Amino acid sequence: MGSAILDRFKTIRPDEDAVVDPQRKLRVGIIGTGWIAEAHVESLLRCPDAQIVAAADLEEGKAARFFEKMGVEGVHCYTDHVQMLDTEHLDVVSVCTYNTAHAVCTIDALRRGVHVLCEKPISATLADAQAMCRAEKESGKLLSIGVQPRMSKAMQTVKEIVQSGELGKVYYVQSGGGRRRGIPTPFGTSFIEKDTAGVGAMGDIGCYSLDMLLNALGYPKPLTVTGYKSAFFGTRPDSYPAHPEYAKLFGVDDFAAAFIRLSGDIVLDFRIAWAMNMDTLGDALILGTKGGLRIPSTECWNGSVGGPLVVYHQVGGQQVQTVLPYEEEDTGELFYKKIRAFLNAVKSGSPAPVPSREMLYNQAIVDAIQRSAELGREVQVEIPEI
C-alpha cells in the first residue's frame, strides 16, 4: 500500500448530513418504551423535521410515564400498537420492543404504509426475518435495522480499505470483542428469557460483530456453518448479585463461536461472549493477500472500535505497519446519526441505511449457529426467498 493511497485513509472525514427541511415534518410513533427507546427519543428530539406523536407499550401506563420522565408532551399513548397504527396518521415508527416482538410490530406497520426503523437484531428467528423482508417488499416502504456502529467513521474506514482492494483478496476474517462480565440485565430479564429474547449474546452483540465484517466484505452469501453455544455463566445465581433468581430465567446463550464459510472462498472465524474468564476474545482481523487489517476491541464490546486501525503491508520490500488516525466516537452520537440517516432516507426515497436484506444474511448465520450447535455438526446456511 503506497503512502499516497494510504493518505485517504488517514483523513478523518467530516459528517455529511443531508439538508434538513424542518417545514416537512415526519409524524413518528414509538413501539415499546423500554430503555432503548430513550436513545431513539433523545435523537428524534434533535431532529427539527420529526414530531413524536404516538407511542404504544403493552404495560398499562408505561408509555405515559416514559414520556413524562423524558419531558415530552402531547404524545398519544396506547397499550396496543395496532390501535395506534390504525388511529394515528404516522409516517415512521421506531420498533424498540424485545426481540421476539420485532417481526409482528414491523410487519403490522409496513402493511399500513408506515416506514420502520427496527432495533437490532432484525428478529429472533430466520422465519421472522424473512416475513419482515417480504412485508417490506410488498409495502414499498422502508425497513432499516438499528445497527448504529455502521455510522462510525472507523467502521466506514474499515469498509473503504477492504473495498479499495488494498488488502488484495481477502481470504480470512476473525471477529473479536466479547465481555468478561456483561450479561445485560440492568433493566430486567427481557434479554435473557427465551420467550422475549429468542437468542442471547450472538444476537445481541454478535450481530454487530458479524455486520462489521460482512459489511466490509460487501455482505457475501454465507454457505456453511459449524457452530457452538453455551450458557455456563447466565445460569449461575452468582452472576446476578442483586437478583440471583434471574439464573432460573436464563434461556439463551452467553457464549457462541462458529467457523463460517462465505462465498468468494472466504472464511469467518466468529466468537462472542456476554461472560467469560477473559477480558476480550481479541481484536477483529481481516487478512488479505496484499495486506492485513487489525481492528482493536473494547473492554465492554458493543460494536465499537477500541483504538487506531492498523494496516500490515509491504512498502519497498519492507514489512511495515501503518497506524491510522483514531477519533473516539460517542455512542449517543452514533444513535443520532442512525436516526438521522433513516429520516433522510425516508424523505429522499433513498435506500435504507442498514438494509433488511443484509441483516437477513446476518440472521441466517445466527440461525445456522444455533442449528449447528444443537445438531453437533456442520450445517448449510439457508437463505429464504423474499
Side-chain angles (χ1 to χ4, degrees), residues 30-333:
I30 308 292
I31 303 179
T33 55
W35 70 274
I36 198 65
E38 292 184 14
H40 282 250
V41 170
E42 289 171 353
S43 296
L44 285 163
L45 292 175
R46 294 174 57 183
C47 299
D49 56 343
Q51 181 183 8
I52 304 171
V53 298
D57 196 290
L58 290 172
E59 183 180 328
E60 183 73 44
K62 184 178 178 182
R65 293 192 299 271
F66 172 84
F67 283 101
E68 182 178 2
K69 181 184 72 173
M70 298 291 293
V72 181
E73 299 179 348
V75 178
H76 302 155
C77 296
Y78 299 81
T79 54
D80 183 343
H81 73 276
V82 172
Q83 184 183 10
M84 179 190 77
L85 291 167
D86 287 342
T87 303
E88 307 286 343
H89 300 287
L90 301 175
D91 297 302
V92 302
V93 295
S94 281
V95 174
C96 302
T97 65
Y98 48 79
N99 297 345
T100 54
H102 283 183
V104 64
C105 295
T106 295
I107 292 168
D108 286 342
L110 289 169
R111 287 177 175 170
R112 287 164 174 78
V114 180
H115 302 281
V116 178
L117 174 60
C118 178
E119 261 304 323
K120 60 80 193 169
I122 182 172
S123 62
T125 68
L126 183 57
D128 278 352
Q130 176 189 26
M132 292 165 72
C133 291
R134 282 182 174 171
E136 177 189 25
K137 182 178 179 180
E138 292 167 358
S139 70
K141 296 301 177 180
L142 209 62
L143 169 59
S144 188
I145 309 304
V147 183
Q148 66 274 358
R150 283 268 193 115
M151 308 297 120
S152 162
K153 295 174 184 175
M155 294 299 182
Q156 291 165 8
T157 299
V158 168
K159 182 172 184 177
E160 187 177 348
I161 291 172
V162 174
Q163 293 297 312
S164 74
E166 297 303 329
L167 300 182
K169 173 187 162 34
V170 173
Y171 56 90
Y172 174 86
V173 291
Q174 172 184 297
S175 70
R179 302 171 181 171
R180 184 167 184 172
R181 292 292 187 275
I183 299 174
T185 54
F187 302 101
T189 60
S190 62
F191 277 90
I192 66 172
E193 293 191 62
K194 185 69 173 178
D195 288 346
T196 51
V199 64
M202 73 175 92
D204 177 38
I205 54 177
C207 73
Y208 284 149
S209 186
L210 289 169
D211 186 69
M212 178 204 313
L213 299 169
L214 294 171
N215 183 46
L217 296 170
Y219 257 92
K221 184 179 180 180
L223 303 175
T224 65
V225 167
T226 299
Y228 170 86
K229 64 177 180 176
S230 58
F232 294 116
F233 295 87
T235 53
R236 286 168 37 175
D238 63 355
S239 292
Y240 319 96
H243 293 280
E245 70 277 11
Y246 284 1
K248 293 182 179 180
L249 301 175
F250 196 90
V252 293
D253 58 280
D254 59 29
F255 175 84
F259 191 78
I260 304 156
R261 292 190 178 275
L262 306 170
S263 61
D265 196 24
I266 305 170
V267 295
L268 196 169
D269 187 353
F270 169 80
R271 71 289 293 271
I272 201 70
W274 272 342
M276 58 182 170
N277 289 317
M278 192 65 64
D279 58 347
T280 178
L281 288 165
D283 297 338
L285 306 175
I286 302 177
L287 299 184
T289 55
K290 291 168 58 180
L293 178 63
R294 181 182 297 276
I295 308 166
S297 184
T298 57
E299 182 178 349
C300 186
W301 203 85
N302 62 355
S304 55
V305 172
L309 303 174
V310 183
V311 179
Y312 296 77
H313 54 115
Q314 181 172 294
V315 176
Q318 301 296 312
Q319 302 298 321
V320 299
Q321 291 98 259
T322 301
V323 180
L324 303 187
Y326 173 64
E327 182 180 282
E328 189 170 350
E329 297 180 86
D330 179 75
T331 302
E333 281 303 303

